[in-house]
Amino acid sequence: MTPDSFSDGGNWETPEAAVARGRELVEAGADLIDVGGESTRPGAQRVTEQVELDRVLPVVRELAASGIAVSIDTMRARTAIASVAAGACLVNDVSGGLADPEMLSAVAPTSAAYIAMHWRAHSGEMDRWAHYSDDPAADVVRALTQRVEAAEASGIALERMVIDPGLGFAKEASHNWALLSQMSRLTALDVPVLIGASRKRFLGSLLAREGEPRPLAERDAATDAISALAAAFGAWAVRVHNVSGSADAVRVAAAMAPPRILEEES
């Protein structure tokens, strides 16, 4: 619901267009529609709380009323609670409760699930925080463990939580690949893992030709590959822009999982 999102900003800016798009995504195989009113692309500037509320609430309300599972993508407690009241079943907080100190305690009394992403700073300055040890996966796992503990201490039951390593958020390409290649360290936390790699910069860089990153619209095949691999490595969900390719990729990964599991057990 933003004019400035990195991939599809402005394409579904009106409530009518966004609701229609949500229904299209469900038809294409999406299990959950993530609605956001504030871009988190690198360099994005924050919008006011009222602008965010005005953007998302009509969409959340109508999609939820039609029986579609909706998550609200927000860092603000007030937007999260208003969206849950409007029918959202999940709060997707890219700050993991760090941007708004009231977020965790606000979500706790609700029945909504909660996604805590690894986060270091707002979009306008996050690139300056892309510094990690020689083991970035360990750094991220440690930080996410702290966020899970903070959420539990605030009253959010562990079975309501999901973690997200925050690919592209205060991370260079090498950090993203390290996290993806070591997903077992995330799944070992026994909290469902969300992977959001769709069309991101590190894919554009990987697929660059003559120094030019692959255009956004041409990164879906790479996104689908990550969806399949993430599913095979135990991800709970993948957050994508183009649903059909990733839905097929996840089905393929699921079909191959039983032989792999049997082989490991034997």
Side-chain angles (χ1 to χ4, degrees):
M1 292 302 299
T2 64
D4 57 340
S5 289
F6 84 99
S7 177
D8 52 6
N11 289 356
W12 299 285
E13 198 173 350
T14 68
E16 296 78 13
V19 168
R21 178 59 175 166
R23 289 173 175 155
E24 288 175 0
L25 293 172
V26 170
E27 287 295 317
D31 297 302
L32 184 70
I33 300 301
D34 195 38
V35 178
E38 180 176 52
S39 175
T40 53
R41 64 171 175 79
Q45 298 303 307
R46 300 211 71 186
V47 299
T48 67
E49 182 179 85
Q50 193 58 53
V51 166
E52 185 182 38
L53 286 165
D54 291 344
R55 286 174 174 175
V56 301
L57 287 182
V59 181
V60 171
R61 189 175 293 113
E62 187 161 349
L63 288 175
S66 62
I68 292 173
V70 178
S71 68
I72 177 63
D73 182 353
T74 184
M75 292 180 277
R76 291 186 172 102
R78 184 179 169 215
T79 302
I81 298 311
S83 297
V84 171
C89 61
L90 188 152
V91 175
N92 182 11
D93 178 4
V94 300
S95 80
L98 294 173
D100 185 340
E102 297 181 3
M103 176 67 87
L104 299 179
S105 59
V107 172
T110 75
S111 60
Y114 179 73
I115 299 177
M117 193 191 81
H118 178 260
W119 183 87
R120 286 184 165 180
H122 287 291
S123 298
E125 57 184 37
M126 68 179 176
D127 284 348
R128 289 184 287 173
W129 290 83
H131 303 288
Y132 296 84
S133 71
D134 292 337
D135 190 352
D139 296 344
V140 171
V141 166
R142 187 181 306 112
L144 285 174
T145 299
Q146 292 171 352
R147 299 322 301 156
V148 168
E149 291 173 350
E152 280 193 289
S154 295
I156 302 176
L158 189 62
E159 56 267 25
R160 291 168 53 195
M161 283 186 235
V162 178
I163 55 173
D164 178 348
L167 301 178
F169 286 79
K171 295 173 184 70
E172 297 177 355
S174 61
H175 305 138
N176 297 323
W177 291 119
L179 288 164
L180 287 169
S181 66
Q182 299 179 58
M183 257 192 62
S184 60
R185 297 170 74 174
L186 292 166
T187 56
L189 297 177
D190 290 328
V191 181
V193 175
L194 171 70
I195 296 295
S198 184
R199 298 179 179 174
K200 288 188 174 177
R201 286 184 297 178
F202 74 105
L203 296 181
S205 298
L206 176 72
L207 305 173
R209 294 177 182 171
E210 299 180 354
E212 288 296 320
R214 180 74 63 84
L216 284 165
E218 298 176 19
R219 300 176 190 174
D220 285 342
T223 298
D224 298 342
I226 289 181
S227 293
L229 291 167
F233 292 147
W236 166 76
V238 288
R239 185 181 185 274
V240 299
H241 298 88
N242 183 8
V243 168
S244 58
S246 281
D248 288 349
V250 168
R251 290 190 189 99
V252 169
M256 294 179 66
R260 177 173 61 83
I261 292 171
L262 289 174
E263 183 179 321
E264 290 174 355
E265 290 179 347
S266 64

